[in-house]
Amino acid sequence: MDLFKETVSLLTWALRAAFPQLGALDIAAIIGNAAHECNGFKTLQEIKPTVQGSLGGYGYFQWTGPRRRAFMAWCKQNGLKPESSEANIGFLIYELQTSEAGAIPRTRKAKTLEDKVIAFELGFARAGIKHYPSRIKWAKQALAAMPDARKKEPEVEAMIPPPPKPLAKSKTIWSEIGKIGTIGGSVSAALAGIDWQTVLVVGLLAFAGLAAWTIYERVKKG
C-alpha cells in the first residue's frame, strides 16, 4: 500500500497545482480511475491486451493505440522514462490541458464521489469494460490517503508541464492595417505633446533673422 499512498500524494498535489478548481472528490475520482487501470500503480503494462497482437495499454491509464504512441513520443520529447511517475503524471496533466480538457468540467459537474468516478471514466478513460465498483473502491481509498499528500508538495513542481503554446496567428491584411494604425496613433500622440505656439514663435524669429541677413548682404554688395 506504500506505493499507492506515495502515488496518491504526488497525483493530488500535481492535479491541485495544475487545476486549482478541482476539489478533493474530483481528484479522488481521477486517481480511482487510474488505480483501477494499473492495479494500484503496480502494473503499467497491460497483461492481456484486448487487441491480440497489439502492444496493449501502458501507464497509469493504460494508454492504448494512438494515445500510447502519443505518450511514448511525449516521454521521449521530455527526456522521461515511461515507467516513471513524472512521465505518467505529466502526460495525464498534458492530456487534461489539451485533447482531454473536457473531462475536467464534466467531472466537476457531478455531485457525489461515485458520480464523479463515472463522469471521469466516460470523459477520459472510456474503457471497453467499465468495472465501476472497482474504480469507486480505489477512489475511496485515494480520498482516505489524501491527508498524507501535504508532505509531497515541493516534489511535484517539476512534473507539471508548461501550458500548451497557443497557435501562431497568421498575418492578414487587417492585422497589418492594425499595426499601421497603431504606429499612426503613436505618432499622433507624440505630436499632441508638442507646444505648437512655441514652435510658431521660434519659426517666425528664425525667418525674420534670415530675411534681415539677406537684406544686409545685398546692401553691403551695393
Side-chain angles (χ1 to χ4, degrees), residues 134-210:
S134 174
R135 296 173 190 273
I136 293 169
K137 179 181 177 181
W138 281 111
K140 290 179 178 178
Q141 291 183 24
L143 192 62
M146 277 188 186
D148 295 335
R150 297 182 179 277
K151 300 176 183 178
K152 297 296 178 182
E153 183 178 13
E155 298 181 15
V156 300
E157 294 298 327
M159 298 182 189
I160 303 171
K165 295 181 179 179
L167 295 176
K169 294 182 178 179
S170 59
K171 291 184 178 181
T172 65
I173 186 171
W174 300 111
S175 64
E176 296 306 308
I177 290 174
K179 290 180 182 178
I180 295 172
T182 301
I183 295 171
S186 300
V187 172
S188 298
L191 293 175
I194 297 175
D195 186 348
W196 291 106
Q197 186 175 2
T198 302
V199 171
L200 180 59
V201 172
V202 172
L204 289 173
L205 290 174
F207 179 79
L210 179 61

Side-chain angles (χ1 to χ4, degrees), residues 119-132:
F120 190 79
E121 189 282 323
L122 292 173
F124 183 88
R126 299 187 291 277
I129 302 176
K130 306 302 185 181
H131 292 299
Y132 286 135

Side-chain angles (χ1 to χ4, degrees), residues 26 104-111 116:
D26 300 316
I104 293 293
R106 184 170 188 165
T107 304
R108 291 189 65 215
K109 187 176 179 180
K111 301 300 182 183
K116 289 179 182 293

Side-chain angles (χ1 to χ4, degrees), residues 6 39-40 44 49 54 57 63 69 72 81 83 89 94 108 121-122 125-127 151 160 164 169 182 211 218:
E6 180 80 5
N39 188 28
L44 298 183
S54 70
W63 288 290
R69 291 192 290 273
M72 294 301 176
K81 295 181 179 179
E83 67 272 18
I89 294 174
Y94 174 76
R108 291 189 65 215
E121 189 282 323
L122 292 173
R126 299 187 291 277
K151 300 176 183 178
I160 303 171
K169 294 182 178 179
T182 301
R218 288 180 178 176

Side-chain angles (χ1 to χ4, degrees), residues 3-165:
L3 174 62
F4 177 74
K5 288 184 177 180
E6 180 80 5
T7 308
V8 168
S9 174
L10 294 173
L11 273 166
T12 297
W13 281 106
L15 288 168
R16 280 179 177 167
F19 307 100
Q21 69 271 36
L22 293 178
L25 294 182
D26 300 316
I27 293 173
I30 295 173
I31 297 175
N33 272 284
H36 164 78
E37 294 288 347
C38 60
N39 188 28
F41 309 105
K42 292 184 293 185
T43 307
L44 298 183
Q45 171 61 52
E46 186 179 2
I47 297 174
K48 295 181 179 179
T50 303
V51 180
Q52 293 185 356
S54 70
L55 293 174
Y58 190 88
Y60 286 1
F61 275 94
Q62 296 293 283
W63 288 290
T64 307
R67 288 175 81 177
R68 174 172 177 149
R69 291 192 290 273
F71 172 58
M72 294 301 176
W74 187 88
C75 291
K76 183 177 181 180
Q77 180 181 351
N78 289 277
L80 298 173
K81 295 181 179 179
E83 67 272 18
S84 68
S85 56
E86 290 85 356
N88 281 267
I89 294 174
F91 189 69
L92 167 63
I93 292 174
Y94 174 76
E95 280 202 319
L96 288 174
Q97 290 175 332
T98 54
S99 59
E100 305 295 334
I104 293 293
R106 184 170 188 165
T107 304
R108 291 189 65 215
K109 187 176 179 180
K111 301 300 182 183
T112 66
L113 176 61
E114 290 79 3
D115 289 343
K116 289 179 182 293
V117 168
I118 295 172
F120 190 79
E121 189 282 323
L122 292 173
F124 183 88
R126 299 187 291 277
I129 302 176
K130 306 302 185 181
H131 292 299
Y132 286 135
S134 174
R135 296 173 190 273
I136 293 169
K137 179 181 177 181
W138 281 111
K140 290 179 178 178
Q141 291 183 24
L143 192 62
M146 277 188 186
D148 295 335
R150 297 182 179 277
K151 300 176 183 178
K152 297 296 178 182
E153 183 178 13
E155 298 181 15
V156 300
E157 294 298 327
M159 298 182 189
I160 303 171
K165 295 181 179 179

